[in-house]
Amino acid sequence: MSGAVPDLEAAVAEIVETLRHRVDRGEVASYIPELASADPRAFGIVVANADGSVVSGGASETPFSIQSISKVFTLTLALGKFGDRLWRRVGREPSGSPFNSVVQLEREQGIPRNPFINAGAIAVTDLILSGHQPREALGEILRFMQFLADDPSITIDRAVAASEHRTGFRNAALANYMKSFGVLDNPVNFTLGVYFHHCAIAMSCRQLAIAGRFLACDGKNPSTGFKVVPAERARRINALMLTCGHYDGSGEFAYRVGLPGKSGVGGGILAIAPGKASIAVWSPGLDANGNSHLGRTALEMLTAKMGWSIFKA
Ligand code: GLN
């Protein structure tokens, strides 16, 4: 029916119902042992609209490990503190490599390609840590998440953080490598500790979608009108999410979904429909690039139904 406004509630309900029956759900991440026990049948979706209304489906209130989605928020925080000086430490180009790749760092003298691959996020975390104790830096990141989600109950899953700290040898290699080029200022173990803990923040789809609203609303919280970041910065963070938010799956995500998005190996994705909505989806099964398989499928269905692709005229 041309001209009719698509019904968001019906679209979300249909997505939940369709995906309930999917057999092919991807593989749950197991390289962080504590994440391996996630239920591959879990699925949640929340759409937080620019007008303040919220539409949800499935396990929308269940907290999960946000993992790399935290990198959007640490980047936002670090840009607020350091502005464009941050770009001396990290680039803004898609990597075309896995999220924990080591080879690119050697070719590029320890400067990570972008703030969303692990090396880039570790460099950003190191900046936030400078001049603080790890506990203070972590408290600042957690309070920022609680503030954005308007929910002081958000916590860090310490078992997940400890599990990654015990087994995160690849991230330790990346951090040590950057340290050798002088890209990190703080002791490697401190920086990694803060990084592992912010990746281990646990949030529900509802909390995450609400926390992401400023990116859909020109940098403002649409409920309070409070400016989180200038509009230009929100636009630029969205640009980075589009080009780099899904690692070597970023092109495919843009092609299929057509929105800026950031994934995490906990199975969450935060996607932004500028001017319209902040969307969080969660399903723990991952594809070969470490991105939620059903999460992307859900977003692909949603943008098609709602006409929300940023490439649509
Ligand atoms: N904490 C995870 C890691 O460093 C985050 C990776 C991800 O979510 N893609 O490996």
Side-chain angles (χ1 to χ4, degrees):
M1 272 195 307
S2 74
V5 179
D7 181 341
L8 178 60
E9 290 196 23
V12 167
E14 196 185 325
I15 290 166
V16 172
E17 188 47 34
T18 307
L19 296 186
R20 195 198 305 278
H21 305 290
R22 284 286 164 93
V23 187
D24 171 18
R25 304 181 86 86
E27 295 288 321
V28 172
S30 55
Y31 78 98
I32 301 174
E34 195 68 23
L35 294 183
S37 56
D39 179 3
R41 287 165 308 179
F43 176 80
I45 178 167
V46 171
V47 182
N49 293 302
D51 66 6
S53 63
V54 172
V55 175
S56 59
S60 57
E61 314 296 325
T62 309
F64 59 89
S65 196
I66 67 168
Q67 292 296 324
S68 286
I69 304 172
S70 61
K71 296 169 182 175
V72 173
F73 300 98
T74 48
L75 174 67
T76 305
L77 199 57
L79 282 170
K81 285 165 167 282
F82 302 97
D84 282 344
R85 277 180 298 152
L86 180 140
W87 303 118
R88 291 188 201 149
R89 304 266 181 121
V90 57
R92 297 192 291 263
E93 293 297 339
S95 65
S97 309
F99 61 83
N100 55 7
S101 170
V102 183
V103 283
Q104 214 161 41
L105 263 188
E106 175 157 30
R107 274 205 304 272
E108 296 174 6
Q109 281 74 48
I111 302 289
R113 269 285 170 105
N114 69 66
F116 295 151
I117 51 174
N118 286 9
I122 292 167
V124 168
T125 300
D126 185 76
L127 268 178
I128 295 175
L129 175 58
S130 287
H132 302 278
Q133 292 301 317
R135 185 188 296 268
E136 294 166 353
L138 194 56
E140 186 177 10
I141 296 167
L142 183 61
R143 280 192 302 278
F144 188 51
M145 297 309 302
Q146 294 169 334
F147 164 72
L148 291 175
D150 192 22
D151 191 339
S153 74
I154 294 167
T155 53
I156 294 168
D157 186 330
R158 305 234 165 230
V160 171
S163 179
E164 189 169 8
H165 217 151
R166 272 196 306 277
T167 55
F169 305 112
R170 193 76 86 93
N171 284 323
L174 294 170
N176 279 294
Y177 204 69
M178 286 189 286
K179 183 80 178 170
S180 78
F181 282 101
V183 174
L184 302 187
D185 291 333
N186 298 284
V188 165
N189 208 32
F190 283 14
T191 302
L192 283 174
V194 177
Y195 171 77
F196 292 142
H197 279 79
H198 74 62
C199 287
I201 292 173
M203 291 171 77
S204 66
C205 285
R206 176 179 299 270
Q207 290 165 333
L208 200 53
I210 290 181
R213 279 186 313 182
F214 73 98
L215 291 171
C217 300
D218 279 340
K220 287 201 198 108
N221 176 330
S223 303
T224 60
F226 184 89
K227 193 198 268 184
V228 180
V229 297
E232 179 185 65
R233 182 164 299 155
R235 213 159 53 228
R236 289 175 162 173
I237 294 170
N238 283 330
L240 291 164
M241 287 171 74
L242 182 77
T243 51
C244 313
H246 282 71
Y247 317 110
D248 41 351
S250 298
E252 187 71 5
F253 188 84
Y255 179 84
R256 288 180 180 272
V257 177
L259 294 180
K262 182 74 207 80
S263 67
V265 290
I269 302 176
L270 173 66
I272 303 300
K276 300 189 174 74
S278 162
I279 308 145
V281 290
W282 170 55
S283 175
L286 309 179
D287 63 20
N289 298 324
N291 302 316
S292 174
H293 182 60
L294 286 196
R296 190 191 72 192
T297 309
L299 289 166
E300 190 176 352
M301 291 170 74
L302 185 73
T303 47
K305 285 177 195 296
M306 300 305 295
W308 278 355
S309 164
I310 59 168
F311 302 108
K312 184 177 175 296

